[in-house]
Amino acid sequence: MQLDKIVNYHKALSDPTRLRILLLLCKGEEIHGQALAERLNLSQPTVTHHAAKLREAAMITERRDKNTIYFRMNPEFIRAGSEASLNFIFSKGTQEMEQESPDDNLKESVLRNFFAKDGRLRQIPAQYKKKLIALQFMAEKLAPGTVYSEKELNEFIRQYHEDYATIRREFIMHQFMYREHDKYELNPTEMWTRWENVR
Amino acid sequence: MQLDKIVNYHKALSDPTRLRILLLLCKGEEIHGQALAERLNLSQPTVTHHAAKLREAAMITERRDKNTIYFRMNPEFIRAGSEASLNFIFSKGTQEMEQESPDDNLKESVLRNFFAKDGRLRQIPAQYKKKLIALQFMAEKLAPGTVYSEKELNEFIRQYHEDYATIRREFIMHQFMYREHDKYELNPTEMWTRWENVR
DNA sequence: GATATAATTAGATGTATATCTAACTATTAA
DNA sequence: TTAATAGTTAGATATACATCTAATTATATC
């Protein structure tokens, strides 16, 4: 999973000792383990520990000469990780693909399986994605710009399901509708919950 | 301390749940707490917990409407943190200032206090920075390019201090000298331990 | 004032991890 | 082969923190 790599990148950099090690290496010089331990006032095993983490994240490279292991910074990987992280958070690259079609097959199957032939909702789907599909399907039947009283809205929902209270709450919860002083109104569709970017 | 801010930035991003929250917010939409909790399959307190961390790192902003708190991503700060982190690691900006003068006052005082009038080292400084100053002072008296036998080097060090074994080891440890088959040679001064970037 | 809803705080629990000392391994050199 | 040196591994300890449930606070509405 992509996410874990990003997490590991930031874990590697979220410790003051490791940052200080990188700082010591940032001039490009090589420094060996014992020298690091002494400079940082740490034991050798602790240096080994941090070196392993930095190596796993490809932030340093190592060279052996006799008994001594010299560390050197790997700046390209540090920069690359930073960029990958930003791209991930801002969803560069994957955004376009997932923007469209929230799984049309799923939508079809939910409409087929959860709604009876007479249009009523058999049961409220428990699974998150499916529930949203059912909610959206019903919300689309409401008139944009119209202000509904609670009573009117209950009546509307009752066309589909007896448990209007739950569904009314879900409409609010997932931002299909907005409530003010017991008056209900459809939100603009841009605000309707999106599930494409959940992953 | 500057270091802590960088650590906190990466801590904020080193948890999969928080990354998923940012991912949900990355389209610029607002999402409120309960919706986040449901989407991520977490309890509301857990969302509060993560929201607090993200807010501390200025990665999200919050807006209250009635009882509900809506979160929105703060992309500028996420990018700014990334840049600040790289600048810190690669020591942009501070590098020039600290490049010079490893604390000339300290150097003077060490040379004055630890070396006698006849030039001998009274005692090996225990404090790291001071020890390096004393070592460097002595190392500078060695001839670059010259290969010393262990005996010769011991004699040289003895000019300064009886404990030539310790000082010889320190010369190696801190990369003032290099040893191969009992032959000792001065390292190029670029390799001499630098302390400017320890902080 | 009473009730409902959203969020926060408190406290418990389990896991992750930074650090140390002691023991061990690997490499070099006498 | 033995001794010395650098590094690693094992195990202990303490702290950080992600998560939950239960109780509390804050806001809005009747």
Side-chain angles (χ1 to χ4, degrees):
Chain A
M1 194 173 190
Q2 171 76 347
L3 202 154
D4 287 337
K5 291 191 70 168
I6 309 290
V7 169
N8 286 337
Y9 172 80
H10 290 289
K11 272 192 184 167
L13 295 179
S14 66
D15 177 89
T17 301
R18 286 194 285 276
L19 282 182
R20 290 205 294 153
I21 290 175
L22 292 178
L23 219 42
L24 287 168
L25 295 171
C26 80
K27 298 282 167 46
E29 304 163 30
E30 288 182 330
I31 308 184
H32 60 271
Q34 293 212 319
L36 280 178
E38 187 166 348
R39 283 185 176 216
L40 300 170
N41 255 305
L42 295 171
S43 68
Q44 237 178 347
T46 302
V47 169
T48 298
H49 168 77
H50 289 297
K53 301 241 165 186
L54 291 170
R55 191 182 340 104
E56 281 163 29
M59 292 178 183
I60 59 170
T61 57
E62 295 171 17
R63 174 180 72 85
R64 172 158 222 142
D65 181 26
K66 312 221 170 108
N67 296 335
T68 307
I69 290 183
Y70 292 90
F71 302 100
R72 184 189 290 278
M73 180 187 260
N74 196 354
E76 299 77 23
F77 270 68
I78 299 176
R79 293 185 194 281
S82 168
E83 203 185 325
S85 172
L86 291 181
N87 285 343
F88 177 80
I89 292 172
F90 297 115
S91 292
K92 291 282 165 51
T94 52
Q95 196 171 353
E96 290 73 8
M97 287 184 298
E98 305 185 27
Q99 193 72 290
E100 310 299 325
S101 78
D103 206 339
D104 278 339
N105 293 331
L106 181 65
K107 182 171 179 180
E108 274 180 44
S109 94
V110 168
L111 297 187
R112 189 156 16 82
N113 295 320
F114 282 89
F115 288 91
K117 313 102 225 152
D118 62 2
R120 285 182 62 81
L121 182 63
R122 288 188 217 277
Q123 55 170 308
I124 303 173
Q127 200 181 314
Y128 180 67
K129 276 187 173 190
K130 295 179 179 173
K131 183 169 69 182
L132 284 186
I133 289 169
L135 288 171
Q136 179 169 342
F137 177 76
M138 294 183 286
E140 283 166 349
K141 304 296 179 292
L142 287 162
T146 303
V147 175
Y148 295 85
S149 69
E150 183 164 314
K151 224 179 144 195
E152 287 170 334
L153 184 59
N154 291 347
E155 280 313 306
F156 169 85
I157 296 172
R158 247 202 186 114
Q159 296 179 275
Y160 295 98
H161 198 277
E162 279 310 302
D163 189 358
Y164 53 82
T166 296
I167 292 177
R168 178 161 36 78
R169 208 157 3 89
E170 296 273 3
F171 274 161
I172 304 299
M173 168 75 102
H174 294 103
Q175 297 180 257
F176 292 102
M177 302 194 82
Y178 179 72
R179 175 180 52 198
E180 179 120 44
H181 298 94
D182 262 350
K183 300 294 173 194
Y184 295 78
E185 191 177 340
L186 218 52
N187 266 328
T189 54
E190 308 90 68
M191 290 185 59
W192 291 8
T193 307
R194 298 274 168 74
W195 53 81
E196 298 90 11
N197 46 9
V198 174
R199 301 182 200 189
Chain B
M1 196 175 189
Q2 170 76 347
L3 201 155
D4 287 336
K5 291 191 70 168
I6 309 291
V7 168
N8 286 337
Y9 172 81
H10 290 290
K11 272 192 184 166
L13 295 179
S14 66
D15 176 88
T17 300
R18 286 194 286 275
L19 282 182
R20 289 205 294 150
I21 290 176
L22 292 178
L23 221 41
L24 286 168
L25 296 173
C26 79
K27 297 282 166 47
E29 303 163 32
E30 287 183 331
I31 307 182
H32 60 271
Q34 293 212 319
L36 279 178
E38 188 167 346
R39 282 183 177 218
L40 300 170
N41 255 305
L42 295 171
S43 68
Q44 236 180 348
T46 303
V47 170
T48 297
H49 168 77
H50 289 297
K53 300 239 166 189
L54 290 170
R55 189 180 343 103
E56 281 163 28
M59 291 179 183
I60 60 172
T61 58
E62 294 171 20
R63 173 180 73 84
R64 171 157 222 143
D65 181 24
K66 311 217 169 111
N67 297 333
T68 308
I69 289 183
Y70 293 89
F71 301 101
R72 183 189 289 280
M73 181 187 257
N74 196 355
E76 299 77 23
F77 270 68
I78 299 176
R79 293 186 196 280
S82 167
E83 204 185 324
S85 171
L86 291 180
N87 284 344
F88 177 80
I89 293 171
F90 297 116
S91 290
K92 292 281 166 52
T94 53
Q95 196 170 355
E96 290 72 9
M97 287 183 299
E98 306 188 27
Q99 193 73 289
E100 311 299 324
S101 78
D103 206 340
D104 277 339
N105 293 331
L106 183 65
K107 182 170 179 182
E108 273 179 46
S109 94
V110 168
L111 297 187
R112 189 154 19 83
N113 295 320
F114 282 90
F115 288 90
K117 314 103 229 149
D118 62 2
R120 288 182 61 81
L121 181 63
R122 288 187 216 278
Q123 56 172 306
I124 303 172
Q127 200 182 315
Y128 180 67
K129 277 187 170 190
K130 296 179 179 174
K131 184 169 68 182
L132 285 186
I133 289 169
L135 289 171
Q136 178 170 342
F137 178 77
M138 293 184 286
E140 282 166 349
K141 305 297 179 293
L142 288 162
T146 304
V147 175
Y148 294 85
S149 69
E150 183 164 315
K151 223 178 144 199
E152 288 169 333
L153 183 59
N154 290 348
E155 279 314 306
F156 170 84
I157 296 173
R158 246 201 185 117
Q159 296 180 275
Y160 294 96
H161 198 278
E162 278 311 300
D163 189 357
Y164 54 81
T166 295
I167 293 177
R168 176 161 39 77
R169 203 153 11 85
E170 296 274 4
F171 274 162
I172 302 300
M173 167 76 101
H174 296 102
Q175 297 180 256
F176 291 102
M177 303 194 81
Y178 179 73
R179 173 179 55 198
E180 179 118 43
H181 298 95
D182 262 353
K183 299 294 175 195
Y184 294 79
E185 192 177 338
L186 219 51
N187 266 329
T189 55
E190 308 89 69
M191 291 186 59
W192 289 8
T193 307
R194 297 273 169 76
W195 53 82
E196 296 89 12
N197 45 8
V198 174
R199 297 178 208 196

